[in-house]
Amino acid sequence: MVVHAYYDEDPRVRREAEALVGAGREVDVFALRRADDAAEGTLDGVTVRRLGVQRHQGAGIAVYLREYLSFLARAAWALTAAHRRRHYGVVQVHSLPDFLVFAALPLRLAGVPVILDLHEAMPEFFRSRFPGASNPLAHGLLRLQERLSIAVSSTTITVNEVMAERLRSLGVRPDKVHVVSNSASLTRFDPAGHPARPFAADGVVRLVYAGALTPTYELDVALEALGRIARDRPDVAFALDVYGRGDAEPALRQQAERLGLAERVAFHGRIPIEDVPGAVARADIGLAPTRHDRFTDVSLSTKLFEYAAMGKPVVATHLPLVAATFPAGTAWTYPAGDAGALAAAILAILDRPAELAAGVEATLAIVRAASWEQQAARYVALVDRVRRRTGAG
């Protein structure tokens, strides 16, 4: 596998790599390397080869491009050299960026099948992340690199049916597109492995957010909502624990101060994936606030599944895939950008306890049906089919 990320921090890549290892396959991952990381190591049976490139989250588009190209070149060299010793049967490349698939081109030309795993719609991601640089020419170039990247791959997988339909609408052959959904691992997100917390057991309603602190996620709206609750419902004691990092953090800290929430909102930084279930277990409500744009029209945050798997009520933005996946009576939703509606959703959980247990159970049923354990066997079978189809490995 090749991924422009720190391997230990990417849940999807880890789930897939560990599923293959669990099925008896050997997996090498080529990933980013932090300054204090070892060049090579093993994590849960997966060999991780870390290349000398670091992430510059929140940087400008020119920095992103240099970082992407540097990693592409290093990954191509390292992968080709390792193939001489390891004789890989399949290469799977994870986006973003889509064009990272060209790191596997030498192996593709040698007959090794290449799977491109599109985590995001890259043209829409960049239009959302860099609106100032968005123009028809830039968008057209991003669409072109997407098409070329898919053309290089033997098989393309993506995260949901809406993304798959988008690819088919671009002219990708239907038999080349497969869906491996993002969902929670019930083995990792298992409430039985953590002390049970009755709702607001200590008299404080504890909210949790575990994810990136970037403009895609409207934590500013969540803070505004909590400010309204503090002002209008002084009888409600609450606290918010934020686990994650990103370029929006300084502004969010300032906003919390301005709203008088500094004592109620704790920014803990990013924590290991292994610690996220425990952090959620200590909370009462999980927050999944997301801005609505063309990018999030085709995405669904895994946070919803993780919170629900731990038996917590979920408050999320009413986005197309959220509404399609979690119908009325399951997760509590609010219109994007509406702090008043977000505050009302939180208060509905507090003020209508009779609906709480039913909503949590209904959401959990959806999560169980779509769990990673259900997806993993299909994913491993797909990788094996791709390998056998070419006789590689």
Side-chain angles (χ1 to χ4, degrees):
M1 293 188 178
V2 181
V3 57
H4 180 267
Y6 301 116
Y7 171 72
D8 57 299
E9 295 183 354
D10 195 305
R12 179 176 176 85
V13 181
R14 285 189 60 175
R15 283 193 300 266
E16 292 180 350
E18 290 167 12
L20 290 169
V21 168
R25 317 300 187 262
E26 293 183 43
V27 180
D28 292 354
V29 175
F30 296 82
L32 299 178
R33 180 183 179 185
R34 289 171 294 238
D36 56 350
D37 284 339
E40 185 172 324
T42 302
L43 182 60
D44 293 330
V46 177
T47 299
V48 185
R49 304 175 187 271
R50 303 180 183 93
L51 309 181
V53 179
Q54 297 180 15
R55 171 168 281 171
H56 300 84
Q57 195 171 36
I61 193 167
V63 175
Y64 268 86
L65 186 58
R66 286 198 302 271
E67 181 183 316
Y68 283 162
L69 293 175
S70 175
F71 185 73
L72 168 64
R74 291 168 185 256
W77 179 268
L79 179 63
T80 303
H83 178 58
R84 297 193 186 101
R85 305 187 308 274
R86 299 285 280 155
H87 305 292
Y88 295 121
V90 181
V91 179
Q92 181 172 340
V93 180
H94 297 265
S95 73
L96 300 172
D98 303 341
F99 59 78
L100 184 56
V101 74
F102 285 91
L105 185 58
L107 275 68
R108 180 82 168 100
L109 294 174
V112 179
V114 175
I115 299 172
L116 176 60
D117 190 343
L118 295 172
H119 296 199
E120 319 278 7
M122 186 169 171
E124 307 306 334
F125 171 82
F126 270 82
R127 181 152 54 184
S128 173
R129 193 72 172 84
F130 301 104
S134 180
N135 57 63
L137 176 60
H139 192 69
L141 290 173
L142 287 167
R143 292 283 292 270
L144 176 61
Q145 68 82 37
E146 181 182 49
R147 289 173 180 270
L148 292 174
S149 299
I150 293 170
V152 167
S153 71
S154 313
T155 296
T156 299
I157 63 178
T158 191
V159 295
N160 58 57
E161 186 56 41
V162 174
M163 281 277 287
E165 183 54 37
R166 174 185 172 277
L167 296 176
R168 290 189 285 263
S169 73
L170 296 176
V172 182
R173 294 194 328 268
D175 64 336
K176 191 174 182 176
V177 181
H178 303 270
V179 174
V180 176
S181 299
N182 273 337
S183 53
S185 167
L186 300 186
T187 302
R188 177 164 285 148
F189 287 86
D190 179 8
H194 305 272
R197 173 181 165 81
F199 192 87
D202 53 357
V204 177
V205 178
R206 300 195 176 277
L207 303 101
V208 65
Y209 172 85
L213 308 186
T214 64
T216 299
Y217 303 103
E218 52 182 27
L219 274 171
D220 56 330
V221 177
L223 291 178
E224 178 65 31
L226 293 179
R228 295 187 183 203
I229 293 174
R231 180 192 66 204
D232 299 338
R233 290 288 301 271
D235 59 307
V236 175
F238 66 84
L240 169 63
D241 289 298
V242 178
Y243 298 93
R245 65 164 180 262
D247 52 302
E249 182 175 345
L252 292 170
R253 287 180 176 273
Q254 291 174 9
Q255 183 185 10
E257 290 274 1
R258 188 172 65 253
L259 293 170
L261 299 174
E263 299 301 317
R264 302 194 194 208
V265 179
F267 292 89
H268 299 279
R270 184 145 193 164
I271 58 174
I273 291 173
E274 291 80 2
D275 294 345
V276 173
V280 177
R282 294 189 293 272
D284 300 302
I285 299 173
L287 297 182
T290 309
R291 298 199 194 285
H292 185 201
D293 56 27
R294 293 182 184 180
F295 169 61
T296 58
D297 269 345
V298 295
S299 62
L300 178 62
S301 174
T302 314
K303 290 187 283 292
L304 282 79
F305 293 89
E306 294 171 349
Y307 300 150
M310 296 300 294
K312 306 299 179 180
V314 179
V315 177
T317 312
H318 188 87
L319 299 174
L321 278 174
V322 173
T325 308
F326 298 97
T330 56
W332 284 258
T333 61
Y334 71 96
D338 191 334
L342 174 50
I346 294 170
L347 291 173
I349 295 173
L350 277 57
D351 295 339
R352 297 198 288 272
E355 300 175 10
L356 177 58
V360 168
E361 189 58 35
T363 310
L364 181 56
I366 294 170
V367 170
R368 284 174 173 162
S371 71
W372 174 247
E373 285 71 18
Q374 303 292 326
Q375 293 288 316
R378 293 178 53 249
Y379 165 70
V380 172
L382 171 62
V383 173
D384 284 346
R385 284 199 307 274
V386 172
R387 178 182 57 82
R388 287 195 300 268
R389 198 162 60 217
T390 62

